[in-house]
Amino acid sequence: MIRTPPSPDLARVTLSVLVIGLLVVACLWILWPFLGAIAWAGMLVVATWPTLLSLQARLGGRRWLAIILLTFTMLLVILLPLVLAVGTIVAHAGDMTGWVASASHAALPVPPAWVAKVPLVGAKLADEWRRLAATSHDELATQASGYALGVAQWFVGQIGGLGLLFLQFLLTIAIAVLLYSTGEQAAEGARRFARRLAGDRGDQAVVLAGQAIRAVALGITGTALVQSIGAGIGLAVAGVPYAGVLTSIVFVLCMVQLGPLLVMVPAVGWLYWSGYPAWATGLLVWSIVVGAVDNVLRPLLIRRGADLPLPLIFAGAIGGLVSLGVIGLFVGPVVLAVTYRLLEWWIADIDAPLPSDV
């Protein structure tokens, strides 16, 4: 009598999957307050890992000293501009009040002749400019008060979250230090897990994810740094007050893909308003150049980090920013890049030679 193999125990399999799912959910629930810091630390460590290895080699293989130097540099780069900006605002609050008051009483000059010659929008822009120039200061102040109140309320709301943001940043740095010290073990664990899921393709996907993170970090951070330096030079040469603070704001705006024009255009308007049309025109031209730098520099930097389609990287960065906030700048391109490569590999399997018949 031939015995048939026992059928799979459906109840046992179902309960096993359910228990595993509950454990995963429980772990995520417990780690939920730390997930943002863990994700940021992971992105930071992956992006700066080659720099850590280079420092370690220069320091005679002393990993701990390289970690201290790199951590101190990150604290300096991130916290110093914030401290300087806040300190400058607090120290010169009275001067800024007087500056705003004097600007509000200055007469808006008539538009230059070239404004009306701008294609498509020149005539309408010149008419609107003349209307504003003919409007009384009291009426302009009344129109602007509503916008100023909204900006002030937003700023007060953001100040309330600075303490939590600072704690989140310190937690991110602490986790990054742990990952720096055990980077090889963490990377090997991730690659082993990926191989357990998808074999060699999973291992390649992990490597691709690291390349995508470095490419986006290099492209976005490098471009933001170049644009903020260029904007700062233009603001300082044109004589715009508090150019250092405005440069820090430009850097933040470029990091979140909003560009430098949100600061540069109001600065140009202030110069025209204050009676410096030549400097305003020069800063306007310079602003256009600085704003267009990312169209050339960012693709070049991203290409150096990973051989991926640029539209894919841009779509991931912008979509991730809209969906997940600033961290989405890095998560979005990684998800799209890995999915794109896995789909490409899966489609390529159709071209693999079939095994010969025996």
Side-chain angles (χ1 to χ4, degrees):
M1 180 177 180
I2 301 175
R3 298 182 59 184
T4 59
S7 60
D9 190 345
L10 182 60
R12 183 179 64 84
V13 173
T14 303
L15 289 176
S16 299
V17 173
L18 180 61
V19 170
I20 293 174
L22 289 176
L23 287 175
V24 172
V25 171
C27 291
L28 291 177
W29 184 35
I30 294 172
L31 294 175
W32 185 259
F34 309 101
L35 287 181
I38 293 173
W40 268 118
M43 300 292 175
L44 191 63
V45 169
V46 171
T48 58
W49 187 255
T51 304
L52 177 70
L53 296 182
S54 177
L55 278 176
Q56 180 179 340
R58 293 174 182 270
L59 296 173
R62 287 171 287 189
R63 170 70 63 85
W64 62 272
L65 186 55
I67 293 174
I68 291 175
L69 288 178
L70 191 56
T71 304
F72 178 76
T73 302
M74 288 189 297
L75 288 171
L76 193 66
V77 170
I78 296 175
L79 288 184
L80 185 60
L82 179 61
V83 171
L84 290 177
V86 173
T88 302
I89 293 173
V90 172
H92 298 86
D95 298 339
M96 289 182 178
T97 303
W99 169 57
V100 173
S102 62
S104 63
H105 289 87
L108 181 66
V110 296
W114 60 267
V115 174
K117 299 178 182 179
V118 175
L120 300 179
V121 298
K124 185 178 294 186
L125 181 61
D127 292 339
E128 185 65 20
W129 193 327
R130 294 189 190 95
R131 186 188 66 80
L132 291 175
T135 305
S136 64
H137 291 95
D138 295 336
E139 186 177 350
L140 287 176
T142 302
Q143 294 176 4
S145 60
Y147 299 101
L149 180 61
V151 172
Q153 291 175 347
W154 175 85
F155 184 75
V156 170
Q158 297 302 311
I159 289 296
L162 282 180
L164 181 60
L165 180 62
F166 182 72
L167 292 177
Q168 187 83 352
F169 173 73
L170 291 181
L171 181 60
T172 300
I173 293 297
I175 297 174
V177 170
L178 293 177
L179 292 177
Y180 279 138
S181 59
T182 60
E184 289 84 0
Q185 293 88 339
E188 182 59 26
R191 297 181 69 171
R192 289 182 64 193
F193 179 74
R195 286 197 296 269
R196 185 68 180 86
L197 290 178
D200 292 337
R201 294 285 173 83
D203 183 75
Q204 295 173 17
V206 172
V207 175
L208 177 66
Q211 294 175 349
I213 292 173
R214 294 192 187 102
V216 174
L218 180 63
I220 292 178
T221 306
T223 304
L225 185 61
V226 171
Q227 286 186 299
S228 59
I229 291 175
I233 293 174
L235 293 171
V237 171
V240 177
Y242 311 108
V245 177
L246 296 177
T247 302
S248 301
I249 297 174
V250 168
F251 179 76
V252 174
L253 292 175
C254 291
M255 285 294 294
V256 299
Q257 304 301 289
L258 294 179
L261 296 182
L262 291 179
V263 171
M264 303 292 284
V265 170
V268 171
W270 178 83
L271 288 173
Y272 277 121
W273 182 281
S274 301
Y276 302 102
W279 284 110
T281 303
L283 184 60
L284 177 61
V285 175
W286 182 247
S287 300
I288 295 174
V289 173
V290 172
V293 164
D294 63 337
N295 296 323
V296 178
L297 183 60
R298 185 166 50 195
L300 293 177
L301 293 177
I302 289 178
R303 278 293 187 184
R304 292 187 59 183
D307 185 16
L308 292 168
L310 290 178
L312 187 78
I313 298 295
F314 291 154
I318 296 174
L321 177 65
V322 174
S323 304
L324 302 174
V326 179
I327 196 172
L329 286 171
F330 301 92
V331 175
V334 170
V335 172
L336 290 187
V338 172
T339 304
Y340 168 80
R341 195 64 79 193
L342 289 175
L343 183 62
E344 187 180 58
W345 290 333
W346 178 69
I347 294 175
D349 286 341
I350 195 65
D351 299 325
L354 297 175
S356 58
D357 295 333
V358 179

